[in-house]
Amino acid sequence: MDDNTGQRIRQHRSVRQEEIIAAAARLYEEKNFKDITISQIGEATSFTRTSIYHYFQTKEEIFLALFAKEYDLWRDDLISLAQRQRKEQDFAAALATTLARRPRLLKLLSMNLYDMEEHSRIEKLVELKKAYGRSVQALEQCLRRHRPDLPEKERRGFLTVFFPFMYGLYPYTVLTKKQIEAMAQAGIEPQGYSIEALAREGICRLLPESKSVK
């Protein structure tokens, strides 16, 4: 096999994988993860359902790939933020906006990742962890750019707490009708936060106050 043939095969494989991931993403807009099947994903593509198994062995592997893609899209937003000139006090709002632009990422984070990981091959999980790592690095670049006053210890502390904080953003801001009804019957008033508002509030509380602010 010559180099050109090998490149065409890799490109073809990449295009097929992207089509499968895009089909899963569309279904995820309308259905819960547990209700989506390989058959449904296959029906939403231009090739046969059985062809999916040439690229992904399980539904969970497809969603890990979607997860990695969402992390990389968020990383692109973070890189853009790190390159912008911005007043320090606007950083929390700007970072919150990057999260509000990625509801699918936050929805995926709110799922049971242990189950997804258990039913996926290690190489697929490694791809997700690499995408996560790229996001961590991009967010650290943002901190270095917009909060240069933060000591290393406080910067690392923010990163350590921020990512677990992200896991709760979607379930606390996007409520189903059933959840709202249950809360009403339990006498609990929904807070009514948007993703962006709750994210900004959390970021402001997690970030130490600038030493330049009196």
Side-chain angles (χ1 to χ4, degrees), residues 81 84-95 142 145-148 200 210 212:
L81 174 58
R84 277 184 254 159
Q85 293 287 345
R86 182 170 293 277
K87 293 181 179 179
E88 183 180 287
Q89 57 266 34
D90 294 335
F91 174 66
L95 180 55
C142 287
R145 170 74 171 182
H146 296 285
R147 287 299 306 271
R200 181 175 183 177
S210 172
S212 64

Side-chain angles (χ1 to χ4, degrees), residues 8-22:
R8 285 196 298 271
I9 291 174
R10 288 190 293 273
Q11 289 175 341
H12 178 76
R13 183 177 181 84
S14 177
V15 168
R16 287 293 181 92
Q17 288 177 323
E18 285 298 317
E19 184 175 352
I20 294 167
I21 295 168

Side-chain angles (χ1 to χ4, degrees), residues 171-205:
Y172 270 86
T173 56
V174 183
L175 302 178
T176 65
K177 291 181 179 179
K178 190 173 184 179
Q179 288 172 328
I180 293 173
E181 180 181 349
M183 292 175 74
Q185 293 186 26
I188 301 172
E189 183 71 25
Q191 295 299 313
Y193 278 109
S194 67
I195 290 174
E196 187 165 1
L198 184 58
R200 181 175 183 177
E201 179 74 14
I203 293 164
C204 287
R205 291 179 180 273

Side-chain angles (χ1 to χ4, degrees), residues 88-148:
E88 183 180 287
Q89 57 266 34
D90 294 335
F91 174 66
L95 180 55
T97 298
T98 69
L99 293 173
R101 285 167 49 87
R102 300 291 160 217
R104 188 182 295 146
L105 171 63
L106 299 176
K107 185 179 179 181
L108 286 164
L109 281 169
S110 71
M111 291 171 50
N112 190 340
L113 298 184
Y114 288 108
D115 289 339
M116 291 179 64
E117 294 173 354
E118 180 67 23
H119 295 91
S120 301
R121 288 168 290 175
I122 185 65
E123 58 266 30
K124 300 298 183 181
L125 182 55
V126 169
E127 292 173 6
L128 171 63
K129 299 305 182 185
K130 287 181 177 179
Y132 161 75
R134 290 190 290 268
S135 294
V136 174
Q137 291 172 354
L139 181 53
E140 185 168 13
Q141 290 176 9
C142 287
L143 289 172
R144 291 181 183 277
R145 170 74 171 182
H146 296 285
R147 287 299 306 271

Side-chain angles (χ1 to χ4, degrees), residues 5 7 21 38 48 53 58 106 117 139 166 176 200 209:
T5 301
Q7 184 177 5
I21 295 168
I38 287 278
T48 64
Y53 293 106
T58 63
L106 299 176
E117 294 173 354
L139 181 53
M166 285 175 58
T176 65
R200 181 175 183 177
E209 185 175 309

